[in-house]
Amino acid sequence: RFQDRTDFEGDIGNFEKAGVGVDGTYSLYFGTQIVKNLIFQLQYAGVSENSKDSNDGYDIYIAEARYNFPYEYKPFIIGQYLTTHYDKANTKDGNSYGLVVGMQDFHGLYAYLAYDRISDEGVVDQGVGGATALHTNGHNYDAWSSTFPNTKAYKTKWEYQLDKVRLKASYALYKRKNQKNVNETNFSVHYKPRKNIELVIRQSWFKNEYAFDLGVDSLLITKAIYSF
């Protein structure tokens, strides 16, 4: 019931009561490895107008296929389709088509490039209670920029392990017709002096209308995490 316990990168977030567990909210997940190295996933969420997350009912369908190539550097490719069907007849349904290419281990480097194309009219809703699905999501104020109609979203992410330190960097760009482009850049350092202790410093820079409304264009976050 508390899906907002982590942020969009899986780090500790705010414990806010989410829509899951509220009457009228249903979800279903199916995953299988059809053949070696090919992983297929199906997800469904049905949200009624009584849930916390929505004033109107809608259904979300997600299909995703991932293939891990059996080569050096462990390259992979992901194809994704996400659609949102709204109960109201005058609300346009939203569709998203996504593609991701990357490598899991290039001499310790993990990296990927992601692209999403959103339908011209309908908004895409990614999930219930803060759950996300699109690989082009930003980390902070741009987390939902990839869901708006007529959007072309791009993102690249890089991670590198240096002994007990893991470096992470990402850049996301969102292009919408007849609107200004928005973008977000993130850099973080994750240090684990012990197995159950993690120290995190993350610096973010963003350029979008939401951040400007708040009078900010950057964000610095420090965390100390202890896992029991």
Side-chain angles (χ1 to χ4, degrees):
R1 297 184 68 179
F2 293 82
Q3 283 196 330
D4 288 344
R5 77 189 87 187
T6 56
D7 64 19
F8 298 107
E9 292 293 326
D11 296 324
I12 300 300
N14 297 320
F15 283 85
E16 298 178 0
K17 189 173 182 180
V20 170
V22 177
D23 290 342
T25 302
Y26 307 91
S27 61
L28 180 67
Y29 170 84
F30 172 79
T32 184
Q33 184 169 309
I34 303 175
V35 296
K36 186 178 180 181
N37 297 324
L38 178 60
I39 302 171
F40 188 68
Q41 299 179 78
L42 291 173
Q43 299 181 57
Y44 164 77
V47 182
S48 78
E49 60 183 12
N50 297 319
S51 76
K52 168 183 175 291
D53 282 7
S54 176
N55 295 322
D56 304 312
Y58 58 88
D59 296 298
I60 304 167
Y61 302 88
I62 305 171
E64 181 174 291
R66 171 176 176 144
Y67 185 74
N68 298 314
F69 293 92
Y71 304 132
E72 189 180 9
Y73 310 137
K74 300 179 180 179
F76 64 90
I77 185 170
I78 300 173
Q80 183 189 79
Y81 173 70
L82 188 154
T83 181
T84 306
H85 295 274
Y86 297 93
D87 292 349
K88 281 190 174 182
N90 60 347
T91 302
K92 297 289 186 179
D93 295 337
N95 300 288
S96 170
Y97 305 87
L99 180 67
V100 184
V101 292
M103 54 186 177
Q104 299 181 72
D105 188 7
F106 182 76
H107 301 292
L109 177 68
Y110 168 87
Y112 72 72
L113 295 171
Y115 169 78
D116 281 305
R117 175 68 172 91
I118 311 301
S119 54
D120 292 342
E121 296 180 335
V123 175
V124 170
D125 199 301
Q126 299 191 69
V128 181
T132 59
L134 299 180
H135 295 278
T136 54
N137 282 312
H139 196 83
N140 298 290
Y141 297 100
D142 289 318
W144 303 103
S145 292
S146 57
T147 65
F148 297 130
N150 208 345
T151 295
K152 293 181 179 179
Y154 308 84
K155 182 179 180 179
T156 180
K157 184 175 181 180
W158 305 76
E159 297 185 13
Y160 189 72
Q161 188 72 40
L162 288 170
D163 192 20
K164 296 181 179 181
V165 177
R166 190 163 188 85
L167 305 176
K168 297 183 180 181
S170 67
Y171 174 78
L173 172 66
Y174 309 98
K175 294 184 176 182
R176 295 200 295 276
K177 189 175 181 179
N178 300 323
Q179 295 189 45
K180 292 182 178 180
N181 296 340
V182 299
N183 62 69
E184 177 180 298
T185 304
N186 296 285
F187 179 77
S188 61
V189 179
H190 302 246
Y191 175 58
K192 296 195 73 170
R194 296 185 179 181
K195 183 178 179 180
N196 56 346
I197 297 177
E198 181 177 14
L199 305 176
V200 181
I201 298 177
R202 186 174 75 231
Q203 177 68 56
S204 301
W205 299 268
F206 23 81
K207 182 180 180 181
N208 62 46
E209 57 269 36
Y210 316 108
F212 291 157
D213 288 343
L214 298 174
V216 297
D217 58 7
S218 65
L219 180 68
L220 175 64
I221 296 178
T222 59
K223 304 177 185 179
I225 304 170
Y226 182 85
S227 303
F228 294 91

